[in-house]
Amino acid sequence: MITCKSERELNYMRDAGRVVALTHAELKKAVKAGVPTRELDRLAEEFIIKSGAKPAFKGLYGFPGAICASVNEEVVHGFPSLRKLESGDIISIDIGTEINGYFSDSAVTLPVGDVSREALDLMKVTEECLYKGIDQARDGNRLSDISNAVQTWAEKHGYGVVRDYVGHGIGAKPHEEPQVPNFGRPGRGPRLKAGMTLAIEPMINMGTHEVKTLSNDWTVVTLDRRLSAHFEHTVAITDDEPEILSKA
């Protein structure tokens, strides 16, 4: 069942989203060559707790980190580890927080030092895909209008759109109905209504859309080992413009 949130619930999600955004800003300053991804995880957890929130991902379904830290060909669910970032890497950081029993979730992909032009282009188009999707998150539209906007923009630039992992509803749980694919024909699925809250998250690959899961049963990588980027916001459907909840 897709739930519509009250203004009180939306306020809790705005509070959680503000912490997510501020945590991203803190980590952006820390992302540099030589930094282990486990250090980013430590910084994030400390900042989230100090801000009066809880890290939503830690322990969720058994995940060990406060953030997902996915480097280069890692699409999503990368484990924070002793792996040190190197100049030329890109890293996707996914952060979720909880305040008063409500959740917000956001992801960004960042360059480490000097990265290639093709990596910068991938990140740029993936972020554009996110906002193309958000622009369709309007009262009266169909869910697949979001999906189609993402797919159309990504494939226009020659990229692969991940199909095995999708966005989702969010609110009193970190993952709620509906699923929000990044591909599909427009005009299908549930009709969007004011009060619905969605985590829209394009996962876009430089090459094939196909992925596989590593032996740790978590980390998802591109099948051809080419780069992947990931951007995400938590968004509320309103009577007017879509509202991004995961912002400072």
Side-chain angles (χ1 to χ4, degrees):
M1 183 176 69
I2 305 172
T3 62
C4 291
K5 311 304 187 296
S6 68
E7 190 62 23
R8 176 184 63 84
E9 292 172 309
L10 288 173
N11 279 331
Y12 289 150
M13 294 180 70
R14 290 182 185 108
D15 290 342
R18 189 174 302 112
V19 175
V20 169
L22 292 173
T23 307
H24 272 301
E26 288 296 309
L27 294 191
K28 185 175 181 179
K29 294 184 288 188
V31 167
K32 59 187 67 175
V35 175
T37 59
R38 186 176 291 177
E39 175 65 9
L40 299 177
D41 185 70
R42 183 190 68 80
L43 291 171
E45 184 170 7
E46 287 184 0
F47 185 85
I48 290 167
I49 293 171
K50 186 175 74 172
S51 300
K54 297 177 183 177
F57 296 166
K58 189 156 191 180
L60 182 66
Y61 315 128
F63 189 77
I67 65 170
C68 298
S70 306
V71 180
N72 294 335
E73 75 279 3
E74 296 174 351
V75 180
V76 285
H77 306 157
F79 275 15
S81 70
L82 294 176
R83 175 180 182 169
K84 293 182 179 180
L85 298 175
E86 299 179 7
S87 184
D89 287 344
I90 62 173
I91 179 171
S92 298
I93 299 174
D94 194 356
I95 302 173
T97 62
E98 175 197 348
I99 289 181
N100 292 320
Y102 286 83
F103 294 84
S104 193
D105 186 1
S106 175
V108 300
T109 302
L110 300 171
V112 182
D114 295 322
V115 305
S116 67
R117 168 49 56 187
E118 61 177 3
L120 291 172
D121 288 345
L122 174 67
M123 289 188 291
K124 177 177 181 290
V125 171
T126 304
E127 187 171 18
E128 290 170 349
C129 285
L130 171 61
Y131 287 98
K132 294 286 185 182
I134 290 173
D135 189 56
Q136 295 298 316
R138 297 173 183 271
D139 184 84
N141 278 3
R142 295 285 187 179
L143 183 69
S144 71
D145 295 336
I146 297 172
S147 309
N148 182 259
V150 172
Q151 180 181 14
T152 299
W153 194 249
E155 292 183 349
K156 176 181 178 180
H157 292 84
Y159 296 131
V161 180
V162 172
R163 285 154 167 74
D164 292 6
Y165 296 85
V166 298
H168 51 90
I170 186 170
K173 297 178 181 178
H175 298 105
E176 297 182 347
E177 292 297 325
Q179 292 191 345
V180 187
N182 293 305
F183 62 96
R185 295 173 62 183
R188 298 187 172 193
R191 195 170 293 281
L192 302 178
K193 297 179 181 179
M196 290 181 177
T197 46
L198 306 173
I200 300 172
E201 50 177 320
M203 291 154 272
I204 308 299
N205 299 343
M206 189 170 286
T208 178
H209 71 271
E210 294 182 289
V211 299
K212 62 178 279 187
T213 304
L214 297 182
S215 59
N216 63 20
D217 293 328
W218 275 102
T219 305
V220 178
V221 299
T222 57
L223 197 62
D224 59 9
R225 295 302 198 271
R226 298 183 72 189
L227 297 178
S228 184
H230 179 202
F231 283 83
E232 175 185 21
H233 269 309
T234 297
V235 177
I237 314 301
T238 76
D239 293 325
D240 191 17
E241 298 287 321
E243 180 186 355
I244 296 174
L245 303 178
S246 48
K247 65 180 183 180

